[in-house]
Amino acid sequence: MIDHKGASIKELFFKKIEEESTEHHLVQNEFSPSEEEMLKSIFLKPFGTVTNTYQFTHNVDLELNVLYNLAREIDSNQTIGDTHEGIVSHLRSSSRHPNIKEGELFIIRFTDIFIDGMTIDALGIFKVEKKDPFIETPDWTKEPTLLFKEGIGEKKLDKACLILFSEDPYTILAYDNNSSEAVYWKNDFISLDFKKDHVNNTNHFLEMIKTYITDQMPEEFEVTKTDQIDLLNKSIKYFKEAETFDKGEFELSVFGQEDEAVQSFRYFDKQYQEDMDLEIDDNFKIAVQSVKKQARVFKSVLKLDKNFHVYIHGNRELIEQGVDSDGRKYYKIYYENES
């Protein structure tokens, strides 16, 4: 999603979040090259695989979103030192749930993050609730001893939010590794919703077409598992080969001249968007990273009892299904080479 190799850290704020408020905190804005690389690897690298984008929202008025206003102040060249108290206070007020853990808060101002062909600044907010154990090896110039400690490494952090200062609305990347315990991070602290952009257009359409082929089509048509795999393969193939999505081209590529299937799909598409409160464009730029992630759940495996797994990647015409005179089902496969 992002490329952090050329990014820099302009300012870092650190504070321990406890039940009882303390004044102790750290602000640092100078780092050695190795320190900066380590920090970018810890805080930015996990966002490289995030494939959903969000934007700020509020159920009454966006201007009432606290974090949105604090982010705008930092984007207008205020320092984290000027705004950290507001962020800490908002985090405390958003996290009153008894299951919410104490932790350590990092607020970092980044510059020159590369995304979608441009470099932009960003504000990162990270909460660490679980530390990783590690062993510090001896300093042989002193009395040798092993030190058993806990700290923060390159394992994905518990909660993270990266506010990219793109054109309004800001683009937000976020994750929560402990979302089952409480949903305050995304819902209350950030208050976000899917951004209407090519990333989510790609994600939502692929999720929708997979649901249609695997769940809806068997209710309306006589389709075999092989037929469904073939349609899923055609769907993902279109997204892998095209740079921009065109709904009419997609329908022709996947369903061909089957008008009944096309009409069924269009009706399902309309109902799906209404039910899921989505708005998917008919034309959009395809997000490559999203296609790679979605392709993993587009199953192309035909499972036959517990004896065989048949992987179908190509020509549907090379596999036939039938029943022999004894009532046993079979598949006939045509091929040229084996390996």
Side-chain angles (χ1 to χ4, degrees):
M1 178 64 70
I2 64 169
D3 187 339
H4 67 271
K5 294 187 181 114
S8 299
I9 295 175
K10 188 174 182 180
E11 189 179 8
L12 181 149
F13 168 88
F14 167 79
K15 183 179 179 66
K16 190 170 180 63
I17 302 296
E18 301 172 302
E19 286 188 14
E20 296 183 6
S21 178
T22 62
E23 298 301 321
H24 302 299
H25 65 267
L26 177 149
V27 177
Q28 188 170 339
N29 52 27
E30 291 185 4
F31 303 93
S32 69
S34 61
E35 290 171 340
E36 189 168 61
E37 287 304 312
M38 181 187 296
L39 290 169
K40 289 194 297 181
S41 182
I42 292 171
F43 292 109
L44 290 181
K45 187 177 179 180
F47 288 110
T49 56
V50 171
T51 55
N52 281 115
T53 55
Y54 301 94
Q55 64 186 42
F56 285 113
T57 188
H58 192 277
N59 55 10
V60 177
D61 188 333
L62 183 59
E63 294 296 324
L64 299 176
N65 184 308
V66 176
L67 190 58
Y68 169 65
N69 285 307
L70 291 167
R72 281 200 303 179
E73 290 178 16
I74 293 175
D75 188 24
S76 301
N77 287 323
Q78 288 200 30
T79 66
I80 293 175
D82 296 327
T83 55
H84 73 264
E85 289 184 2
I87 295 174
V88 171
S89 175
H90 178 52
L91 178 59
R92 289 188 186 281
S93 66
S94 302
S95 52
R96 301 297 185 189
H97 193 282
N99 287 344
I100 293 172
K101 298 181 176 69
E102 295 181 349
E104 294 173 330
L105 179 70
F106 290 84
I107 306 172
I108 306 175
R109 176 73 183 266
F110 298 98
T111 61
D112 299 327
I113 291 177
F114 188 80
I115 182 170
D116 287 338
M118 67 179 88
T119 55
I120 55 179
D121 295 351
L123 175 68
I125 305 173
F126 311 87
K127 188 183 177 195
V128 180
E129 297 173 342
K130 299 176 184 176
K131 292 184 180 179
D132 298 322
F134 68 93
I135 300 172
E136 187 176 302
T137 52
D139 179 355
W140 295 103
T141 63
K142 303 177 182 178
E143 182 178 352
T145 182
L146 293 175
L147 299 177
F148 298 86
K149 298 183 176 182
E150 289 187 334
I152 302 167
E154 293 192 15
K155 184 179 177 182
K156 200 171 185 180
L157 303 177
D158 297 290
K159 291 173 171 58
C161 165
L162 188 66
I163 304 165
L164 298 158
F165 294 137
S166 56
E167 292 184 4
D168 207 19
Y170 294 148
T171 298
I172 302 173
L173 307 181
Y175 63 83
D176 182 352
N177 282 334
N178 297 318
S179 58
S180 61
E181 298 176 359
V183 295
Y184 77 93
W185 183 254
K186 288 185 176 181
N187 291 0
D188 302 324
F189 176 60
I190 309 172
S191 188
L192 49 71
D193 196 3
F194 287 115
K195 187 171 186 179
K196 193 176 185 319
D197 61 7
H198 72 289
V199 175
N200 289 315
N201 273 325
T202 303
N203 282 322
H204 293 152
F205 189 90
L206 284 171
E207 290 165 0
M208 182 271 294
I209 188 63
K210 180 177 180 293
T211 302
Y212 173 72
I213 292 170
T214 57
D215 297 339
Q216 184 63 28
M217 286 197 79
E219 295 186 8
E220 297 186 40
F221 305 98
E222 289 188 11
V223 288
T224 65
K225 288 290 184 183
T226 308
D227 294 328
Q228 289 176 292
I229 290 172
D230 182 52
L231 291 170
L232 290 172
N233 284 340
K234 287 179 179 179
S235 299
I236 208 69
K237 182 175 183 287
Y238 176 90
F239 274 84
K240 285 181 176 179
E241 294 180 352
E243 292 184 1
T244 58
F245 173 83
D246 179 274
K247 191 173 181 180
E249 288 181 355
F250 174 84
E251 291 172 345
L252 184 61
S253 176
V254 174
F255 301 112
Q257 302 298 326
E258 298 291 334
D259 290 340
E260 193 174 348
V262 171
Q263 294 305 317
S264 166
F265 164 69
R266 289 176 179 173
Y267 179 78
F268 179 85
D269 176 23
K270 183 174 180 293
Q271 290 299 122
Y272 182 91
Q273 293 189 50
E274 290 178 2
D275 293 343
M276 302 296 290
D277 194 22
L278 298 174
E279 187 177 340
I280 307 174
D281 293 335
D282 290 344
N283 302 85
F284 54 84
K285 176 185 172 184
I286 292 173
V288 176
Q289 191 71 33
S290 297
V291 175
K292 289 179 180 178
K293 184 174 182 179
Q294 293 282 348
R296 298 177 196 145
V297 297
F298 272 58
K299 302 298 183 184
S300 58
V301 183
L302 182 65
K303 297 181 180 180
L304 306 176
D305 299 329
K306 295 182 180 180
N307 300 316
F308 303 102
H309 285 185
V310 181
Y311 290 81
I312 304 173
H313 300 296
N315 190 348
R316 167 67 178 86
E317 302 302 319
L318 297 178
I319 182 169
E320 296 178 4
Q321 183 180 22
V323 180
D324 67 13
S325 58
D326 295 324
R328 295 178 301 179
K329 300 175 183 177
Y330 67 85
Y331 278 96
K332 185 187 293 185
I333 300 172
Y334 298 91
Y335 67 94
E336 293 182 1
N337 301 300
E338 64 179 302
S339 59

